[in-house]
């Protein structure tokens, strides 16, 4: 390369629309969006993908991805994704859902799509709180965690226990890929990208249900500055929700899925 | 998990004969009509008295290369319909009253997102778990929107197995034309009874249907499509609401359907739809034989309601007798249409109880005796 010649080494993924996102400062929804878009680019899916947006802070995801998008009712994204995928198996269908959406109101849809081995990819953003509605308790809220509806901290006696979705779904035979990652550091982001690649690959190879749980920050509803929110994920959330690959179909090990980002 | 060795059903698929009278059950006719209309996806959840619809679909949808899926609930089923409709395929779900209640959120989304689909309600006695007997108690839910928001669904009300076939087929065309959910309402009696029916010789080839450029089928060579019912800016939502209202007005101009019998000389007009109209028609014949001047006005589209046409009838008769299998629902729309032109009386049976023809004959003759 001639000296002085400039080269673009980093740019916005083509699948990510050039618009300003509405997420709060320090919210990791944006990083997760970017990873999804990078995968859409990498697998050359923008003309063949249909994304399902949730009800939750990611509701406007339909404005952020350049592929066809459907906005689903609260919790129903896996059923909507099933409807699309069953009639058009040639399309790549993914949903993007929060913890209230996926693990509370949409629990039945999630479990049954997984049990059917529905050939879809689910990106599950677990921020242990209801972001959009003002910081209420989520099914994934930690014991002792203060939310607007557990003002004295979540008490198992009255508010029950947190739900570990990957562990729950791993009891089923339908999932081809289940993993939990986070995006709190560059290394974590790279690991998350590797896992997301497998979650995409699973569908492209027709292996069955794939879900990637991403531990995400909500500095606004947690009442923490962004940096502290990142360490709260590492210090508190990962102990309750271990970073781990739970299910990985044989076909996904090795080759392309193994490649680094 | 290892598959069990449960026996396979031995029944062979019998080819149905088209273009001549055959005997079929109402629910099965609904399913066949949908496939004949080019429907290639069905999502449902078991509930009596409509179970023969999913059963028939499970067996026959694969023959036409379509999708059958038993969902985990009616909530999921309607959202699968939402997805399949968004992908541009003709799709249907069927249920009965409690299940239709569960679908209402989804129907509201489908309406605002402007997606065509067909929803069949084989009504049963309500409220609550009610029972599995014939009922028309979901009239309000069907014609007034049903779920939250400012939308309606077109509602077709067949009264025979033949009409179940014809109207279910037509429902798919209406859904595409008005880009919204269309409801076909029957009841336990219509769904369960066997009657002669002629299935059309021509069936719709889905590939011959007009393209749906708005569908989410992959953004190839076009900007990305979004299927959505969220309009965060109130004037935008108002515009979307009004677009729907204009469609309903157009449907009111073009799609209103009803049938009249013996209205020429009638002093009493019975207004009834579906099974109630079926029983009433028999009773009217008997009452006329006894010299009572009575006729039948049968709405076939419950929304849009044949208000203008009914008002014209009301101008000519003394009394309107509304006969329903409910505690009194359609009668409100009848009163709105009639606007005092004639006296409106109501006769209802609810909770799954059905009129005997004799009860209706008695009602008609005593009305006539009253001097109406
Ligand atoms: C049927 C229904 N119930 C409740 C709501 C209100 N609601 C909107 S978003 C939300 C929770 C979202 O939380 P989560 O899924 O964790 O996503 P986040 O906002 O944290 O990203 C709720 C309860 C709704 N829109 N629809
Ligand atoms: S409320 Fe929380 S989850 Fe929602 S955008 Fe803000 S930080 Fe992110």
């Amino acid at each position: 390369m001639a000296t002085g010649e400039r080269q673009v080494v980093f740019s916005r993924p083509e699948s990510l629309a050039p618009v300003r996102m509405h997420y709060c400062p320090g919210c990791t929804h944006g990083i997760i969006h970017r990873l999804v878009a990078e995968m859409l680019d990498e697998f050359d899916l923008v003309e063949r993908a249909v994304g399902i947006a949730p009800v939750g802070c990611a509701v406007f995801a339909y404005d952020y991805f350049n592929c066809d998008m459907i906005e689903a009712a609260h919790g129903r994204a896996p059923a909507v994704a099933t409807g699309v995928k069953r009639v058009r198996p040639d399309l790549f269908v993914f949903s993007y859902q929060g913890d209230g959406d996926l693990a509370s109101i949409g629990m039945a849809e999630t479990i049954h799509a997984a049990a059917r081995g529905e050939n879809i990819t689910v990106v599950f953003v677990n921020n242990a709180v209801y972001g959009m509605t003002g910081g209420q308790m989520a099914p994934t809220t930690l014991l002792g965690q203060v939310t607007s509806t557990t003002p004295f901290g979540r008490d198992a006696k009255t508010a029950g226990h947190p739900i570990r979705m990957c562990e729950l779904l791993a009891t089923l035979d339908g999932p081809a890929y289940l993993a939990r990652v986070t995006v709190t550091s560059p290394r974590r982001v790279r690991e998350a990208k590797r896992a997301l690649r497998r979650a995409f690959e699973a569908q492209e190879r027709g292996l069955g249900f794939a879900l990637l749980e991403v531990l995400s920050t909500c500095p606004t509803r947690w009442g923490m500055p962004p940096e502290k929110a990142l360490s709260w994920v590492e210090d508190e959330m990962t102990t309750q929700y271990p970073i781990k690959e739970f299910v990985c179909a044989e076909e996904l090990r090795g080759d392309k899925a193994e490649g680094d980002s | 998990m290892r598959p069990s060795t449960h026996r396979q059903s031995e029944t062979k698929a019998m080819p149905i004969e088209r273009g001549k009278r055959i005997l079929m059950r109402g629910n099965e006719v609904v399913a066949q009509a949908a496939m004949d209309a080019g429907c290639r996806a069905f999502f449902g959840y078991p509930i009596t008295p409509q179970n023969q619809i999913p059963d028939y679909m499970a067996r026959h949808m694969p023959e036409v290369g379509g999708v059958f899926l038993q969902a985990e609930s009616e909530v999921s089923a309607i959202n699968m319909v939402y997805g399949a409709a968004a992908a541009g395929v003709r799709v249907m779900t069927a249920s009965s009253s409690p299940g239709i209640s569960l679908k209402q959120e989804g129907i509201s989304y489908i309406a605002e997102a402007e997606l065509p689909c067909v929803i069949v309600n084989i009504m049963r006695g309500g409220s609550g778990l009610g029972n599995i007997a014939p009922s028309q108690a979901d009239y309000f839910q069907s014609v007034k929107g049903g779920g939250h928001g400012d939308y309606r669904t077109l509602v077709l009300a067949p009264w025979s197995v033949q009409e179940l076939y014809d109207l279910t087929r037509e429902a798919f065309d209406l859904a595409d034309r008005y880009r919204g959910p269309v409801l076909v309402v029957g009841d336990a009696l219509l769904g369960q009874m066997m009657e002669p029916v002629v299935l059309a010789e021509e069936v719709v080839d889905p590939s011959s249907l007009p393209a749906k450029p708005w569908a989410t089928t992959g953004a190839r060579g076009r900007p990305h499509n979004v299927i959505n019912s969220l309009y965060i800016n109130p004037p935008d939502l108002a515009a979307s609401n009004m677009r729907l209202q204009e469609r309903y007005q157009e449907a009111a101009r073009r799609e209103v359907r009803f049938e009249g019998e013996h209205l020429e000389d009638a002093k009493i007009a019975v207004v009834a739809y579906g099974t109630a109209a079926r029983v009433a028609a028999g009773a009217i014949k008997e009452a006329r034989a006894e010299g009572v001047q009575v006729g039948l006005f049968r709405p076939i589209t419950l929304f849009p309601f044949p208000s203008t046409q009914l008002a014209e009838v009301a101008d000519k008769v003394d009394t309107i007798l509304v006969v329903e299998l409910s505690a009194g629902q359609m009668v409100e729309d009848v009163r709105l249409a009639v606007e005092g032109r004639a006296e409106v009386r109501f006769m209802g049976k609810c909770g799954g109880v059905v009129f005997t023809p004799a009860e209706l004959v008695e009602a008609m003759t005593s009305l006539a005796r009253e001097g109406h």
Side-chain angles (χ1 to χ4, degrees), chain B residues 312-329:
Chain B
E312 283 165 18
V313 171
D315 274 332
K316 295 186 204 129
V317 300
D318 302 324
T319 313
I320 300 247
L321 175 63
V322 181
V323 173
E324 281 182 81
L325 297 179
S326 82
Q329 300 192 19

Side-chain angles (χ1 to χ4, degrees), chain A residues 22-29 57 127 129 131-132 217-221:
Chain A
H22 70 285
Y23 298 112
C24 305
C27 174
T28 43
H29 262 304
C57 277
N127 59 11
V129 79
M132 185 189 227
T217 59
C218 181
T220 305
R221 304 305 184 198

